[in-house]
Amino acid sequence: MVLLGALSAFGPLSMDLYLPALPSLEAEFGAGQGAVQLTLTSVAVGLAVGQLVAGPLSDRFGRKVPVLVGVGAYALASVLCALAPSVWLLVGIRLLQGLAGAAGIVLARAVVRDRTEGTEAARAFALLASIGGAAPVLAPVLGGQLLRVTDWRGVFGVLALIGLVLLVAARWLPETLPAERRVRGGARATVRATRELVGRRAFRTAVLAQGLGFAALFTYISTSSFVLQTGYGLTPVQFSLVFAVNGAGIVAAGQLSRVLVARLGPRTLLVGGLAAQVAGGVGLVVTALADGGLPVLLPVLFVVVAATGLVLPNATALAMADAAGAAGTASALVGVGQFAVAGAIAPLAGLGAAGALLPMAAVMAGASVLGLVAGLRVPRAAGTPPRPLPD
């Protein structure tokens, strides 16, 4: 589970480690805030598209080989990011980095689904979310400290080193999909499984709720460094500490989900987490309109961010319960919903003035409201494994 958590942390690690360096990257290339934020959006798009490839391939060839290929390619792409001579080339390489890193994310979920179901799966996904939540806790703090001795290029060098370490560790990952359970029929079988999954209301609504909930978090990830450093005057180290506290909230909420899921069920926890996001998002908008200071801003921001520790694992458990015969494909669709929706919505926060709170607050609140609507549409009986998908 620790190794699976590390593999699933590729996404937040790729985005969070160099967040404190975004203003300095903007200054070096002479690019605007929107162009710099595209280096985050492109890796999110890569993570989404890459899962569409890695997930179905793992249903056909097993889980282990795609992990090893993806992690190795991720390490190489990180080296190329460190050598990028322009912001636009960096955007392109970050897309490749996301494509490679997607394998670890999608296959961590698939391995859990291979081994567990129902409440046990919800607990396992909550544990993955907590381990993955350590990335938002540690990455910005580490990134802030790295900037004391290196620049943003050195940060990508560290990502390359992390990729190499995980490549070695992943050699001990057990194969959880034996040959007799693998999907035959190539692309045609993948299309059939996709149609079957998307045709299920429980799957559709859970994926949409997760994507919108994550969009609120990703908006915070891609914009908060400008708001808190440029708008509110925090130093990179102070910003990383604030980010760490919010990341600790994700971990705490994930642990709370593990404790409560057997009693309340994943749907109730999902709706509760989305409702908390809405409350925090509305608080952010009010804070922006009233020109509130940090003592008001930071607590409501904490609520929105921490609530994702309830949203993500329970939405994942509800969606993956519908994946009896094609866990890799289902995991890929879950990942696409998460990163594609977030990648489409988060850039809207960059349309305002640099450092302004209101655009970030409005996008986070809007995504949270839509996420709650989707969460309420998840059937109350969702979470019990249905009939297996056809071979």
Side-chain angles (χ1 to χ4, degrees):
M1 289 302 296
V2 172
L3 177 57
L4 291 178
L7 291 172
S8 66
F10 262 127
L13 193 65
S14 299
M15 292 182 285
D16 297 346
L17 190 65
Y18 91 130
L19 282 179
L22 288 181
S24 62
L25 189 150
E26 179 184 6
E28 176 176 335
F29 288 130
Q33 177 180 337
V36 172
Q37 285 180 320
L38 282 176
T39 66
L40 295 173
T41 300
S42 64
V43 75
V45 172
L47 288 167
V49 175
Q51 290 182 69
L52 279 177
V53 177
L57 284 178
S58 76
D59 284 337
R60 185 176 183 184
F61 299 108
R63 313 300 187 201
K64 188 169 182 176
V65 172
V67 166
L68 294 174
V69 173
V71 174
Y74 176 90
L76 177 60
S78 298
V79 173
L80 296 177
C81 285
L83 302 175
S86 71
V87 68
W88 297 112
L89 189 56
L90 179 60
V91 169
I93 301 174
R94 289 280 280 170
L95 177 64
L96 298 178
Q97 187 186 37
L99 289 170
I105 299 173
V106 68
L107 296 178
R109 288 192 297 262
V111 168
V112 169
R113 186 60 185 85
D114 288 340
R115 295 282 183 93
T116 62
E117 63 181 29
T119 299
E120 185 182 358
R123 285 175 170 165
F125 286 124
L127 181 58
L128 280 186
S130 296
I131 296 173
V137 173
L138 298 176
V141 177
L142 178 59
Q145 296 303 315
L146 285 173
L147 291 177
R148 299 165 71 96
V149 297
T150 186
D151 58 9
W152 64 269
R153 297 181 188 275
V155 172
F156 281 110
V158 172
L159 285 174
L161 179 61
I162 292 172
L164 289 175
V165 171
L166 285 178
L167 178 61
V168 174
R171 295 178 61 190
W172 282 272
L173 181 71
E175 178 57 70
T176 60
L177 188 66
E180 63 272 15
R181 289 175 49 199
R182 294 175 188 176
V183 174
R184 298 292 182 261
R188 192 172 300 175
T190 298
V191 171
R192 286 200 305 268
T194 299
R195 286 177 178 172
E196 176 73 15
L197 287 165
V198 174
R200 295 173 178 171
R201 175 181 159 190
F203 183 84
R204 289 196 312 271
T205 52
V207 169
L208 183 58
Q210 184 197 53
L212 290 164
F214 183 71
L217 176 65
F218 189 59
T219 300
Y220 159 77
I221 289 172
S222 62
T223 312
S224 61
S225 61
F226 296 99
V227 171
L228 294 178
Q229 292 185 74
T230 303
Y232 284 84
L234 295 186
T235 66
V237 173
Q238 290 172 331
F239 165 73
S240 65
L241 292 175
V242 170
F243 208 85
V245 170
N246 290 334
I250 298 177
V251 176
Q255 292 302 308
L256 181 64
S257 179
R258 290 187 65 209
V259 173
L260 296 179
V261 69
R263 180 185 305 173
L264 300 178
R267 183 187 182 277
T268 298
L269 292 176
L270 170 63
V271 172
L274 290 166
Q277 276 196 328
V278 170
V282 171
L284 284 175
V285 173
V286 172
T287 301
L289 295 175
D291 198 21
L294 285 173
V296 179
L297 170 62
L298 295 182
V300 293
L301 196 58
F302 177 85
V303 171
V304 182
V305 175
T308 59
L310 293 174
V311 174
L312 300 186
N314 290 292
T316 300
L318 290 167
M320 295 295 288
D322 278 0
T329 300
S331 180
L333 294 174
V334 170
V336 168
Q338 179 174 324
F339 287 100
V341 172
I345 291 177
L348 298 175
L351 298 178
L357 172 61
L358 185 58
M360 182 183 82
V363 173
M364 292 176 70
S368 299
V369 169
L370 293 175
L372 179 58
V373 172
L376 290 171
R377 293 283 296 165
V378 176
R380 292 187 179 276
T384 56
R387 67 189 185 283
L389 292 174
D391 292 333

